[in-house]
Structure formats: C-alpha cells, structure tokens
Amino acid sequence: GIQVGEGGLSYACVQTAYANGAATRFLTQEMKVQVAMGKTGVKYVEHVAKQYDIGVYFEANGHGTVIVQPKAFQAIQDVLSKSPTPEQQRACKRLLAFVKVVNQAVGDAISLLLAVEGVLACMDMAIDDWVRMYKDVPSRQGKILVPDRLQVKTTEDETQVTEPASLQQEISRLCAEVDCGRAFIRPSGTENAVRVYAEASTTEAANLLAFKVAQTTWKMLGGEAAAEPKGSEYNVE
C-alpha cells in the first residue's frame, strides 16, 4: 500500500490565519491531518503546499487547489505495478482519477466541484453529510486606520504580533477571556491600515473581541481621534 506520514509520503493541509478555528480543530483533532500555516495570499500558501508530497491549500475566500508531487504519483503507479489486490487497485485508480480531475496549476472551481462530487460518491455521502462534518465558529473582521501600519510586525504566518510585543500580550489576554477566543491583526498590504480578525463561540462574543482588539491596537499605535474604532462598527452597543 501507500504509506502517508512518518516514513512515507508527506501530507499537509495549508491554511492561513483567516481559516476558521473550527476547521483547524476538525482537521487536527478529528481527521488527524497535519495543518501547516502560510501567509495570507495564494502565492504564499501554494509555496508552503509545494513543500509536501501532497499539499492541499485553500484560503478562507475559497482560492486554492491540491498539489500532488511526482513522488506521490509514482507511489500510486508502483502499487498498481505490483499485482495489487482488487481493493488496492480500485483505491489507486480512484486516486489517479482524482489527481487528473484536479487542476494543480490554478484553483479551478469547476474541477474542484467535480472532485468533491467524486469523493462524496466514493464515500457514499450526500452534500448535507459533508456540510454537517463541522460547524464554523462565529467570526468578525475589522479595519483600523493608523498613522503607520508598518509599526506592526508579525510572524511569517501572521498569527502573532512580534512588534510591538506588548500588543500581542494584550491580544492574548483578551482572547483568553472568551470561550474559543482567537484573534490576530496584520498590516494591510494595500492601504495604511491594520486589519483585525476575531472569532469566539458566539457572534456577540466575536464582535466584542474584535472591537476590543481594534481599540487596543488603535491606542498602542497612536491612532488619531477621528479613527478611533466605534462599537457600532462591530455591532457592539
């Protein structure tokens, strides 16, 4: 057979910081799949995905695809060339069909839709079964206008602030106060602003967490009075 993991083919699902926490937990805890993080942007997550023999990458906006390196393709062919059992032969042919359907060069919604339909059919699952596999936790996004967005430095995957260090400490504290709390900020790549993302177990908690993170960021970066985050922008009374 084909061994995946330690001693065999490397495999990972690549996400960005914007991936819903429920999806990450489902992959790592339920599916036991390795999750790798990449910087926001298709070119960045694709680069990470190519470091694995099989790399699945999708941004939260839906952009992405599956990359299967020649080593993985050859592993499938090797099984077929060694008198496989009927079950192994069927599995390998399905894998090869999947690889041929998926457009590895670019995210292709039609080919991916067909691939998903094929997988669901093989697993005897309906679309509703697929949707019910996990449920996203509520999230909220925001934007803060600041004097200099480059004051903010983050880790490569943008999940943590490295400068100013005190800002990350405060964000971590705010997240710890909320059930399923997670939040991050990142400097915008297109305007002099800092983008905010927050999620929590309820919509109200996610909105409030995003608002508090926005307020804290605005204060620490010396934001102008006119740009102060308002509760109404985050549906917070």
Side-chain angles (χ1 to χ4, degrees), residues 55-93:
V56 180
Y57 71 92
F58 284 95
E59 289 199 286
N61 60 17
H63 298 162
T65 189
V66 180
I67 294 178
V68 181
Q69 302 288 3
K71 179 182 176 181
F73 185 80
Q74 187 59 51
I76 301 172
Q77 298 282 21
D78 289 345
V79 173
L80 286 173
S81 67
K82 296 177 181 177
S83 303
T85 65
E87 185 179 355
Q88 289 176 323
Q89 186 176 49
R90 181 170 61 253
C92 286
K93 286 185 176 181

Side-chain angles (χ1 to χ4, degrees), residues 150-210:
L150 299 182
Q151 285 180 271
V152 176
K153 300 288 190 298
T154 69
T155 53
E156 184 65 26
D157 60 15
E158 301 177 322
T159 58
Q160 299 277 316
V161 174
T162 56
E163 294 181 26
S166 57
L167 179 52
Q168 181 56 54
Q169 293 171 2
E170 189 62 18
I171 292 174
S172 297
R173 185 188 67 79
L174 292 170
C175 290
E177 296 176 348
V178 182
D179 184 33
C180 294
R182 184 175 75 91
F184 69 89
I185 64 168
R186 53 181 284 268
S188 170
T190 56
E191 57 184 323
N192 207 25
V194 172
R195 303 197 181 280
V196 176
Y197 175 93
E199 61 183 40
S201 58
T202 66
T203 299
E204 294 75 17
N207 290 344
L208 184 57
L209 178 58

